[in-house]
Amino acid sequence: MIKLKNLVLVIGVVTMFSCTEKEKRTHLEIKENQFYINGDLTYKDRYWNGHKVEGLLMNSRMVQGIYDDLNPESVDRFKYPDTGEWDPNRNTNEFIAAMEAWKNHGMIAFTLNLQGGSPMGYGNKNSINSTFKPDGGLRPAYMERLEKVLEKADELEMVVILGYFYFGQDHVLKDEAAVIKGVDNITNWILEKGYKNILVEVANEVDYPRYDHPILDVARVHELVARVKNTEKNGNRLLVSTSFRGGRPPSEKVVDVADFILIHGNKVEDPDDITTLVEKVRSMKGYSNQPILFNEDDHFNFDAKSNNMVNAVKAYASWGYFDFRKEGEAFENGFQTVPVSWGINSERKKSFFNKLKEITGY
């Protein structure tokens, strides 16, 4: 017979273990050129107008989900129109509150970035937004917001395409050693937390000539891709790649080592060129039937018979929506321009999500 005090001790130990080692719900896998969540093909059995959808990972660029501006001279640009103040916690909380609606329209993945993206649509204008400290350490406030997003994504069985670095912000890290330390810190943190629903994008558009550290440039970024790929804990590792500018295929070195291929549709004005770009990637030396995934494309026209999104699906490539607010547009527009309205509350957003729902059958 177990004594009462011993029983209490056992219950306490079990409770403590369950709180600190909470088992994650969502497990992403890649098999050949298809994505699986919890053992099942994404969009299982779904075809749209005769085109295969199952196995794809339709997504949107939502990189500002944990955004903050650490520069007191520029942060006032990002005031909310209703309060006249910027609030990073409000931003993340509203992001999390919107996620279920995205999922209900068939958007099962989104790109988040530890250094965000241009808060002005295009152009940083002196803002400082970085989860990484100058020495490669991780800022606690950013990590708290990140964990909230990742926990919600795990609960909803959504995939997070997590970018580590963004041009115009990598200068925050003082040197190459700090970049490597930062990569190791965040990779190990993810593995220690047990998240299995993450695709890593080491850096956004590495061929853009604004990265300060050579290891983030085209010639060497594959070193970091391989570094993340070769980091394991308890038999688990992260799936990893990196992206290049719109309309450009990745380098052969990246194709050779990446688990999936990231491409962008920005500047691709003719939808037929989307098909050509996908075919070009598949014909590259070193390509080994990895899934091809657009996670940034600022072209819309979703009601048109031919558009970048539709042609990506026809080419059996996942597609990602990129919506920024242009100067003078209503606050509801855009998913990148800060402050962000994360709801499906503009005509452009509604057009995307309605088309997505049609294609995915959600």
Side-chain angles (χ1 to χ4, degrees):
M1 184 173 181
I2 300 176
K3 292 183 179 181
L4 180 59
K5 67 177 182 179
N6 291 337
L7 180 59
V8 172
L9 177 62
V10 170
I11 291 173
V13 171
V14 172
T15 302
M16 181 177 69
F17 179 81
S18 63
C19 289
T20 56
E21 299 293 337
K22 179 183 174 184
E23 186 174 351
K24 303 306 178 189
R25 174 181 300 185
T26 308
H27 185 193
L28 174 71
E29 296 176 277
I30 293 174
K31 299 178 183 179
E32 294 296 325
N33 64 344
Q34 300 179 116
F35 293 99
Y36 289 71
I37 294 178
N38 296 334
D40 289 328
L41 275 167
T42 58
Y43 312 114
K44 189 175 181 180
D45 299 325
R46 178 65 181 173
Y47 281 73
W48 173 74
N49 289 348
H51 301 287
K52 183 178 176 180
V53 177
E54 68 171 7
L56 294 181
L57 200 67
M58 303 301 281
N59 65 93
S60 179
R61 180 176 170 85
M62 309 291 205
V63 291
Q64 314 288 27
I66 60 171
Y67 182 87
D68 197 5
D69 188 355
L70 305 178
N71 183 356
E73 296 180 5
S74 58
V75 69
D76 282 349
R77 280 202 305 263
F78 307 120
K79 297 175 181 178
Y80 284 97
D82 59 343
T83 65
E85 295 179 349
W86 164 245
D87 184 345
N89 293 316
R90 171 183 171 176
N91 176 60
T92 296
N93 290 338
E94 291 183 354
F95 182 101
I96 291 168
M99 288 168 62
E100 188 168 5
W102 305 339
K103 169 75 181 293
N104 289 340
H105 284 77
M107 197 191 91
I108 58 175
F110 57 85
T111 296
L112 192 68
N113 195 297
L114 300 177
Q115 295 191 314
S118 168
M120 312 293 288
Y122 286 104
N124 287 311
K125 310 284 185 172
N126 300 319
S127 64
I128 301 172
N129 173 44
S130 179
T131 302
F132 300 107
K133 299 177 182 179
D135 67 352
L138 304 173
R139 300 183 194 275
Y142 276 84
M143 295 305 294
E144 288 176 14
R145 295 193 296 273
L146 174 64
E147 188 165 8
K148 288 180 181 179
V149 173
L150 297 186
E151 285 295 315
K152 188 64 175 181
D154 181 65
E155 174 191 326
L156 293 174
E157 299 186 346
M158 296 180 77
V159 173
V160 180
I161 306 165
L162 185 62
Y164 285 4
F165 299 102
Y166 180 72
F167 59 80
Q169 294 294 340
D170 71 300
H171 67 277
V172 170
L173 292 100
K174 62 182 180 180
D175 54 27
E176 183 170 305
V179 172
I180 293 171
K181 180 181 175 181
V183 167
D184 290 347
N185 281 340
I186 187 61
T187 300
N188 283 304
W189 181 89
I190 294 167
L191 291 170
E192 286 166 2
K193 288 289 183 179
Y195 294 112
K196 298 178 182 178
N197 61 329
I198 291 177
L199 297 172
V200 173
E201 177 183 15
V202 166
N204 176 77
E205 297 188 349
V206 295
D207 56 336
Y208 199 86
R210 285 187 58 190
Y211 279 104
D212 287 66
H213 304 290
I215 199 168
L216 291 170
D217 285 340
V218 175
R220 294 186 57 205
V221 71
H222 65 281
E223 297 174 26
L224 293 178
V225 175
R227 190 177 186 90
V228 174
K229 188 173 182 177
N230 293 330
T231 302
E232 291 190 9
K233 284 196 179 297
N234 301 319
N236 296 314
R237 72 168 183 87
L238 300 179
L239 300 168
V240 56
S241 187
T242 198
S243 67
F244 288 66
R245 280 188 284 178
R248 300 187 180 192
S251 67
E252 289 185 355
K253 289 181 178 179
V254 167
V255 169
D256 190 55
V257 72
D259 293 299
F260 56 99
I261 308 301
L262 282 175
I263 49 179
H264 288 176
N266 306 335
K267 298 184 179 179
V268 181
E269 304 300 335
D270 185 344
D272 288 340
D273 290 337
I274 291 289
T275 306
T276 302
L277 179 59
V278 173
E279 291 173 347
K280 184 179 293 185
V281 170
R282 290 193 175 123
S283 67
M284 290 181 67
K285 180 181 178 181
Y287 176 72
S288 55
N289 204 30
Q290 301 105 310
I292 296 174
L293 189 157
F294 288 86
N295 73 328
E296 183 176 338
D297 194 334
D298 59 0
H299 292 85
F300 313 129
N301 299 320
F302 298 113
D303 293 330
K305 184 176 180 180
S306 178
N307 57 61
N308 287 14
M309 179 185 185
V310 165
N311 277 29
V313 172
K314 289 180 178 179
Y316 199 61
S318 305
W319 191 83
Y321 175 60
F322 171 32
D323 185 14
F324 61 93
R325 182 171 64 248
K326 297 177 182 178
E327 187 174 354
E329 287 189 328
F331 170 60
E332 289 74 22
N333 281 327
F335 278 133
Q336 176 153 309
T337 313
V338 182
V340 184
S341 178
W342 293 111
I344 304 172
N345 52 6
S346 72
E347 291 307 310
R348 200 159 61 216
K349 293 175 184 176
K350 290 174 184 177
S351 180
F352 162 66
F353 279 102
N354 288 338
K355 191 66 177 182
L356 181 63
K357 200 168 187 178
E358 174 192 329
I359 290 172
T360 61
Y362 264 61

